[in-house]
Amino acid sequence: HYAIDKGNHNTVVTTGLGMIALAIGDENECEDIANEVINESLNALPHNLLTFAPHGVCSEGPHYWKYGQDQFFQYQAAMHKSLKTDFGLSEIPCMKTTGDYIVSMHGPTGMCFNYADGLESAHSVMSASLLWLSFLYGKPEYKEKYINSQNDSYSFLDLLFYKEDENRTDKDELS
């Protein structure tokens, strides 16, 4: 069952359902089910997220980090935007350091330190999620690493996550 799975399947399915709940949650006839889905997502996500402990490392490798965490960070940003909270998910210690992990997987040659079943291309695992993490945790080095690695190839997530100034003063202003 995805809700207790410790792999990326948990995060991808749970955040997908959570995004749907956020999208319909303000409709009168959908409020109860949306709240239930969001609450269940908050119970399910730690099964995967805590596997990154203690240092934010993904045991499935950098490609599955990108696959699962891109989904998670989109959901987290959407919660901040629509609910003004992520219900403590950003306070999970290993989430505070997971950006360090993905940045450290990239070498100066443009290759990715690969394990598990990923590819060696660093570009294929560099994620716009670093922009969100840079903003969320005040780590401009994530933003710099991401921008310097893109070779003029960007995604829609860049528009979602890019912030001109990470020096935020009010957590309610996230996203």
Side-chain angles (χ1 to χ4, degrees):
H1 187 265
Y2 74 88
I4 58 172
D5 186 81
K6 292 184 178 184
N8 67 75
H9 190 237
N10 168 303
T11 304
V12 172
V13 174
T14 300
T15 59
L17 292 170
M19 292 288 275
I20 293 168
L22 289 173
I24 66 169
D26 61 351
E27 302 294 326
N28 287 335
E29 64 274 4
C30 300
E31 287 178 6
D32 291 341
I33 190 70
N35 286 334
E36 183 179 339
V37 169
I38 291 168
N39 286 330
E40 288 299 319
S41 78
L42 297 172
N43 291 327
L45 284 169
H47 289 284
N48 173 259
L49 298 178
L50 291 172
T51 66
F52 289 61
H55 302 294
V57 174
C58 179
S59 65
E60 296 178 294
H63 282 82
Y64 281 106
W65 181 93
K66 182 178 193 247
Y67 178 64
Q69 293 313 103
D70 277 356
Q71 310 302 315
F72 170 69
F73 294 126
Q74 289 173 50
Y75 181 46
Q76 185 183 42
M79 283 191 291
H80 275 282
K81 182 70 172 176
S82 61
L83 305 174
K84 305 296 186 221
T85 183
D86 68 7
F87 301 97
L89 294 174
S90 59
E91 299 305 315
I92 296 173
C94 55
M95 291 295 97
K96 293 179 179 182
T97 58
T98 197
D100 295 338
Y101 159 72
I102 204 66
V103 165
S104 69
M105 292 291 99
H106 299 88
T109 63
M111 303 297 280
C112 175
F113 177 74
N114 180 37
Y115 60 95
D117 61 351
L119 305 171
E120 292 179 349
S121 167
H123 178 72
S124 65
V125 297
M126 192 52 73
S127 171
S129 293
L130 285 171
L131 297 173
W132 170 249
L133 291 170
S134 174
F135 182 69
L136 183 64
Y137 296 117
K139 293 193 170 190
E141 64 270 23
Y142 294 168
K143 178 180 174 181
E144 181 181 346
K145 180 70 170 181
Y146 177 72
I147 290 171
N148 290 335
S149 72
Q150 288 310 293
N151 299 323
D152 296 324
S153 173
Y154 299 96
S155 80
F156 75 94
L157 291 176
D158 299 318
L159 297 173
L160 178 67
F161 290 148
Y162 182 83
K163 308 289 185 215
E164 189 65 36
D165 181 15
E166 294 92 23
N167 297 322
R168 62 186 172 79
T169 57
D170 184 356
K171 205 167 190 175
D172 289 337
E173 297 295 320
L174 290 171
S175 195

